[in-house]
Amino acid sequence: MRVSFVADSSGWGGAEVWLAHHLRRAGEHGATAALVVSEPVAEGFAAFPVERAVVPLSRHADDAPAVRAALAAQRPDVVVVNLVDPASNAAAVAAAQDVAPTVGVLHLVGDTRAGEERAALRELYRRMAGVISPSTEGRGQLVGDLGVDPARAHVVPNGADLPADPAGPAGRAVPRIGAFGRLTAQKGFDVLLDALRRLDVPYEAVIGGAGRDGEALRAAAAGLPVTFPGWVDDPRAFLADLDLFVVSSRVEAGPLVLVEAMAEGLPCVSTDVGEVRRVAGEDVVVVPVDDAGALAGAIGGLLADPARRADLGARARARAVRDLGAGLMARRTYAVLSGVAGGAAG
């Protein structure tokens, strides 16, 4: 099975990490992977030993001729298009559908337009050979708003690599809280800073990442024991220095950074976004979105109770090993792709 993946993104994030996991594991599932990647994220995939075509970004464009030509040259049995949100990668989806049966992977719910734009988008999605989302919410939007056949809509929870030597909590005398991601409103770091300002126990905090809100967030952190180290090149090293990990997002499907922290055995607090409550159960402390008071209460309670932190971290690691490994995620994804390719051949 020849699978071409399309990454039509303007910046590196969880969707690109998802793609990297599947590129690494293609051979394990009887697939030969190829990649059509937009210029802004091409460097991140340079080391992968797959056929690769670098094309201009077509996100929000009306047409994607370079994507279409690159895919045609790769001669795939099935194309997988990474969807930043339901509407913005429409040109890449249309180009892919001109070449081979196409599967869309919706990483984030979002605007599905209205009127004629909605109608055109629905027609595009109805032609999908399959869709995948990490969350039931994402699948619901694909089926309900965009008319995807429910039989072709699949939920595959996100997964992460499972290190054999999980770091666990760092055990610092002054506990260190950590978070990382794009410094944008979606990630809710402004809410996290508000929560940290309310704490009355000793702590340090580090917020990794880069983005358009970086300057405003640094200003909002004035007077707090918070540092911003910039882009995180090595998530494992970043996580190894922490005692507690926090996801403060306003919108997610299944945050990969949370799964990575769980896999390292870190106690975690997360907002109630996407599949977090369903896949993490009682092994992560879950709080309402945009509620700085609840977030502060959850963080403060864990900082004051080292034994509870240790127990929560051990449970998070066990949950990740059982249910949230990247190998399991890839196996489920390639099963969907095999079904699509087999159906097309039939």
Side-chain angles (χ1 to χ4, degrees):
M1 178 175 64
R2 291 177 58 83
V3 182
S4 287
F5 291 89
V6 178
D8 180 36
S9 305
S10 58
W12 191 275
E16 289 65 47
V17 175
W18 180 95
L19 177 49
H21 284 308
H22 287 81
L23 290 175
R24 290 190 191 100
R25 292 169 171 82
E28 300 171 19
H29 302 282
T32 299
L35 179 65
V36 176
V37 58
S38 63
E39 292 167 346
V41 294
E43 185 178 351
F45 293 103
F48 286 88
V50 300
E51 183 179 352
R52 186 176 71 119
V54 179
V55 297
L57 181 69
S58 62
R59 188 180 177 197
H60 299 298
D62 294 328
D63 193 17
V67 173
R68 186 179 294 106
L71 288 172
Q74 291 176 354
R75 301 175 59 84
D77 299 306
V78 60
V79 178
V80 179
V81 180
N82 248 354
L83 302 167
V84 177
D85 56 55
S88 64
N89 301 106
V93 170
Q97 290 177 344
D98 287 345
V99 175
T102 298
V103 174
V105 183
L106 180 64
H107 292 278
L108 202 62
V109 297
D111 183 15
T112 53
R113 305 294 193 261
E116 292 183 2
E117 287 183 286
R118 167 76 70 87
L121 204 58
R122 283 176 65 88
E123 182 60 31
L124 189 69
Y125 274 83
R126 283 172 179 160
R127 296 199 301 269
M128 287 286 201
V131 292
I132 295 171
S133 176
S135 73
T136 52
E137 181 185 17
R139 181 185 183 276
Q141 184 169 60
L142 290 162
V143 172
D145 289 1
L146 297 175
V148 173
D149 181 349
R152 297 182 178 183
H154 309 272
V155 174
V156 176
N158 278 333
D161 288 327
L162 301 171
D165 55 341
R172 291 172 168 272
V174 177
R176 176 170 288 184
I177 304 161
F180 72 89
R182 292 186 307 277
L183 303 185
T184 63
Q186 178 211 334
K187 299 299 182 180
F189 293 131
D190 56 322
V191 182
L192 175 57
L193 292 175
D194 190 358
L196 295 177
R197 201 170 288 280
R198 301 174 186 222
L199 296 180
D200 58 1
V201 293
Y203 73 91
E204 297 174 351
V206 56
I207 299 175
R212 59 179 174 269
D213 293 345
E215 186 176 343
L217 289 170
R218 289 179 174 86
L224 295 175
V226 178
T227 57
F228 292 83
W231 187 255
V232 176
D233 289 317
D234 186 345
R236 286 210 70 194
F238 181 89
L239 293 170
D241 226 13
L242 306 181
D243 295 285
L244 177 65
F245 189 78
V246 178
V247 171
S248 53
S249 297
R250 293 181 166 94
V251 180
E252 295 281 1
L256 273 166
V257 291
L258 176 64
V259 182
E260 290 169 345
M262 293 172 68
E264 292 288 358
L266 282 173
C268 300
V269 177
S270 175
T271 47
D272 193 1
V273 287
E275 293 295 275
V276 168
R277 189 178 293 276
R278 189 175 75 84
V279 303
E282 301 299 317
D283 300 326
V284 166
V285 178
V286 181
V287 300
V289 173
D290 257 330
D291 189 334
L295 188 58
I299 294 171
L302 286 169
L303 292 183
D305 192 340
R308 185 179 169 217
R309 289 204 307 273
D311 176 67
L312 191 65
R315 285 162 40 205
R317 164 69 182 184
R319 168 79 69 156
V321 169
R322 186 175 72 245
D323 298 333
L324 300 172
L328 176 59
M329 172 184 68
R331 184 164 76 244
R332 290 168 168 165
T333 299
Y334 279 105
V336 173
L337 302 184
S338 294
V340 168

